[in-house]
Amino acid sequence: MRIRYYTLQRRHQPWPKIKNVPLRSKYRTYEASNLVLDLDAEHNDYVRPYNEDVDGALAPDWSHEVRELRPIQARIADFEKQSQDYEEHFRTTAADKFGSWRILDYDILSVALDNLSMRETAGRPSIDINRHVDQVTNSILEENGIPHFVRNSPSKTIAYMLRRQRLAQRLQPEVGDEGSLEEALGNCHSFFGIERLVTNVIQTPQGCQLVSACTDALERVCANLAGTASPAEILSFLNNLIINLDSQGLYVSPSLLTRAYVASLQCCAFTTAQKYMKILRGKTEFNETQVLESLELLSTAASLPGGIRLRIDHLLASYSLLTGRVLGEDAAPQPSLQDLIFKCGPHAFRQYLTCLARLGAFRTMWYMWHTQSKSAEDYATSNRREGLSPSVSIGAARMATDPDARLDFIKAMNFAIAIREAFSVNSRFAEISQAPEFARVAGQYDEDCQLDMAAMIKSADILSTRDRGGTHRFETDEMRGIFGKESVQEAMLALQSYLSRVQLPSHDGISRPREINDGISSPRGINSRGFPLREISDAKSEHVPRYNWGRDRG
């Protein structure tokens, strides 16, 4: 037991120096009972049991420096640990030459442009002024070991990225790594990963050769992941890749070109689709299924929901893809679906006519009537496979003995379906017949195609309307009488008169269609020319419309 004594000193005096050794260092301490303490500590507030945590020795002069350095040393230890983590992330990313997290030139450009946009919006009221780097860029910086403390400064971030990119480029893909590239493509579970992987590989000539050798595998992966990306993203990626490979004269598989062609149709980029069709012309042949799918995509793109105005160049590009003709150009026609349509069945030909009808290209439709190369027997066989064989009647018996009449009937049926479909998606479609130049013709196919395109420009507002149109009945016999005329001038005048009998929308905006009837009476089921009367039903069908045979007029 000891009694602690304190000496009162002024505040401004220095810390007392240690002169004597503490008594506990000389003498052994012991525990005293409470009774002894009470007797000895009577009227003494400083007598108490010894506590080694409280009754310590006076700190040396340099102890305050230790206390001040302690948090600094802890911060240094944390910094070293973070640096090791950053280096480990970077080594892992740089060791994989087919990794999708490698820094690309586009990543550096993205950080630079992001800083520029933040400078331009400074001082403007916006909730996006203090935004952080987006999630993708942040992940790229994290995987490449870019420290957090430099990310607030774009200049420092770019300097770090350039350094990391230069170090990672020491390991590059080489010729002979096709198997590794295909394996890396197969391990990608998102279109974003495929895009980054391929973009990283094609930065070198050897990488371009690798990608060229693996375009078939790339197409298969894109097909599997098509649902994870929009057609615009797929088209942007494939278009840039194909342009890059084609500029170096490298091989691109027809399957990848076809994938890009389909994506361009889905994006309504018909001019781009036409370029891919030109490339594919000498490499592969379109089968009937591909042609039909192309026409269905084109038809879907031409019938966008109501309220969306199709631009004039959209209409002209659609027509150019169908016919190969370009406005104001007399050069050789471009590759088009017209080159393939006569090799396909009647369903594809009917879909082709539907696309032309929705564009109001009636002059082109007249030429299609007179240039159809399919024989009557081929068409009859194809239509029987689709369940479109006519019923047995007087007219049917006549068509059985007259192949030309049979072919005319089937063509008239397809033309009636095409015009009916155009009316079903556009309540204002009949207004195009009121144009003064509607029946204007040139007598030559190329010049009449130019007139069709000029009419599209003037009627773009009408053709862009997409709503629920009217349900009209267009008779096959009438179509045969119109488009079967020997002169395109007579056909356009007859069609103008025929469409003028379709009731236009009233002033209240509600379309009130009525049936078309030429007032010619004939026996039940037989028209005035002795052919069986065929009416195109308005029954809805997903692919092949239904037909009602042998019904009365009106």
Side-chain angles (χ1 to χ4, degrees):
M1 182 183 70
R2 67 184 179 83
I3 302 176
R4 191 172 186 180
Y5 297 93
Y6 291 85
T7 302
L8 297 178
Q9 299 181 9
R10 291 187 177 183
R11 181 175 299 177
H12 66 273
Q13 291 182 352
W15 190 264
K17 295 183 179 180
I18 302 176
K19 297 180 179 180
N20 299 324
V21 179
L23 294 177
R24 67 175 177 274
S25 300
K26 292 184 178 181
Y27 307 101
R28 188 176 64 178
T29 59
Y30 63 93
E31 295 292 335
S33 63
N34 292 334
L35 178 60
V36 174
L37 291 177
D38 292 341
L39 292 175
D40 186 67
E42 188 176 0
H43 305 300
N44 188 347
D45 297 333
Y46 300 101
V47 176
R48 56 181 173 75
Y50 168 73
N51 188 345
E52 60 181 4
D53 295 331
V54 178
D55 301 327
L58 294 176
D61 296 340
W62 44 266
S63 61
H64 67 283
E65 297 179 359
V66 176
R67 290 192 298 270
E68 292 175 357
L69 291 176
R70 192 172 298 154
I72 298 177
Q73 292 174 348
R75 181 67 186 91
I76 292 175
D78 293 341
F79 180 80
E80 291 178 351
K81 185 178 183 302
Q82 290 179 2
S83 298
Q84 293 176 359
D85 294 339
Y86 292 143
E87 291 298 327
E88 184 64 25
H89 278 90
F90 171 68
R91 282 195 298 268
T92 304
T93 303
D96 185 8
K97 56 185 174 182
F98 293 110
S100 59
W101 291 113
R102 285 192 164 201
I103 296 178
L104 308 176
D105 294 337
Y106 299 107
D107 301 328
I108 301 174
L109 179 62
S110 175
V111 174
L113 294 178
D114 184 73
N115 177 46
L116 180 62
S117 63
M118 293 179 66
R119 289 182 179 180
E120 292 179 351
T121 56
R124 302 179 186 177
S126 175
I127 60 176
D128 206 28
I129 293 179
N130 298 322
R131 73 182 188 277
H132 298 285
V133 182
D134 60 9
Q135 184 178 1
V136 174
T137 304
N138 189 47
S139 299
I140 295 171
L141 299 179
E142 189 72 25
E143 294 296 331
N144 285 273
I146 307 298
H148 287 83
F149 59 85
V150 303
R151 299 182 189 179
N152 294 329
S153 174
S155 59
K156 295 180 180 179
T157 302
I158 292 175
Y160 258 94
M161 295 176 71
L162 289 172
R163 172 63 177 170
R164 298 296 199 195
Q165 185 188 41
R166 188 162 53 252
L167 292 175
Q169 286 178 349
R170 295 177 180 177
L171 182 63
Q172 290 288 350
E174 300 176 354
V175 177
D177 292 337
E178 291 82 359
S180 300
L181 178 57
E182 292 183 2
E183 182 180 357
L185 289 172
N187 293 331
C188 291
H189 302 291
S190 65
F191 187 79
F192 170 77
I194 295 177
E195 186 175 9
R196 290 194 58 84
L197 170 59
V198 175
T199 305
N200 174 57
V201 174
I202 64 174
Q203 290 183 346
T204 61
Q206 296 81 3
C208 290
Q209 296 178 14
L210 282 178
V211 175
S212 174
C214 300
T215 48
D216 283 323
L218 178 59
E219 190 279 331
R220 289 193 297 269
V221 176
C222 290
N224 295 333
L225 300 178
T228 63
S230 64
E233 294 174 339
I234 298 177
L235 177 61
S236 176
F237 165 66
L238 294 181
N239 195 46
N240 292 334
L241 175 62
I242 293 173
I243 290 175
N244 196 326
L245 297 179
D246 187 66
S247 63
Q248 303 180 43
L250 297 175
Y251 170 79
V252 181
S253 65
S255 59
L256 190 65
L257 291 171
T258 304
R259 176 67 53 183
Y261 166 75
V262 174
S264 60
L265 287 179
Q266 293 173 340
C267 296
C268 301
F270 303 129
T271 303
T272 305
Q274 201 167 22
K275 293 179 180 178
Y276 284 122
M277 183 179 290
K278 184 177 182 180
I279 299 175
L280 286 167
R281 172 184 286 179
K283 295 184 177 182
T284 185
E285 292 290 338
F286 281 84
N287 54 39
E288 182 176 351
T289 302
Q290 292 174 329
V291 173
L292 185 58
E293 290 177 355
S294 300
L295 291 170
E296 290 177 350
L297 288 173
L298 184 62
S299 177
T300 303
S303 58
L304 297 174
I308 298 181
R309 293 293 183 181
L310 301 179
R311 297 172 299 177
I312 292 178
D313 57 346
H314 174 86
L315 297 172
L316 296 178
S318 303
Y319 183 79
S320 179
L321 182 61
L322 290 170
T323 63
R325 266 60 183 180
V326 181
L327 181 66
E329 295 185 7
D330 296 332
Q334 299 293 324
S336 65
L337 294 172
Q338 191 180 77
D339 304 332
L340 310 170
I341 196 63
F342 292 119
K343 302 177 183 178
C344 303
H347 190 31
F349 182 74
R350 184 163 54 248
Q351 192 71 26
Y352 181 82
L353 292 176
T354 300
C355 294
L356 288 177
R358 291 184 180 182
L359 297 175
F362 297 115
R363 299 172 185 84
T364 307
M365 292 179 66
W366 181 86
Y367 284 100
M368 293 299 296
W369 177 286
H370 291 272
T371 58
Q372 189 171 356
S373 60
K374 276 246 181 194
S375 65
E377 186 61 30
D378 293 341
Y379 253 78
T381 304
S382 300
N383 278 275
R384 278 197 297 269
R385 285 198 301 265
E386 295 191 15
L388 302 180
S389 298
S391 58
V392 179
S393 62
I394 299 176
R398 178 177 176 179
M399 286 190 293
T401 59
D402 190 350
D404 293 335
R406 188 181 188 86
L407 178 60
D408 287 346
F409 166 76
I410 297 174
K411 289 193 297 186
M413 180 178 58
N414 291 332
F415 274 68
I417 294 173
I419 297 179
R420 189 203 68 177
E421 291 296 325
F423 273 88
S424 66
V425 297
N426 190 343
S427 61
R428 301 178 57 194
F429 192 76
E431 296 181 21
I432 62 177
S433 63
Q434 297 179 337
E437 301 87 0
F438 180 82
R440 180 186 173 188
V441 296
Q444 298 292 330
Y445 177 66
D446 291 335
E447 296 178 3
D448 282 333
C449 288
Q450 296 292 328
L451 291 177
D452 272 338
M453 288 184 280
M456 292 177 199
I457 296 176
K458 296 180 181 179
S459 305
D461 183 64
I462 298 175
L463 296 175
S464 301
T465 302
R466 288 295 179 266
D467 54 12
R468 184 175 178 81
T471 54
H472 303 268
R473 294 192 305 178
F474 295 93
E475 301 169 358
T476 57
D477 188 49
E478 294 292 342
M479 295 296 102
R480 179 182 178 276
I482 293 174
F483 290 98
K485 293 184 179 298
E486 296 298 328
S487 169
V488 61
Q489 178 73 58
E490 297 177 356
M492 293 301 296
L493 289 174
L495 181 63
Q496 185 177 31
S497 175
Y498 185 74
L499 295 181
S500 65
R501 285 177 280 166
V502 179
Q503 183 175 343
L504 300 178
S506 60
H507 296 290
D508 59 2
I510 301 176
S511 177
R512 297 183 176 86
R514 59 183 176 86
E515 298 177 357
I516 299 176
N517 195 325
D518 56 8
I520 300 176
S521 59
S522 59
R524 181 178 180 86
I526 304 297
N527 62 14
S528 57
R529 296 177 179 85
F531 285 85
L533 183 60
R534 304 293 183 250
E535 295 178 353
I536 304 303
S537 171
D538 59 353
K540 297 181 180 179
S541 177
E542 192 171 342
H543 296 291
V544 181
R546 300 175 183 173
Y547 305 94
N548 295 328
W549 307 95
R551 296 175 58 184
D552 293 336
R553 291 183 181 225

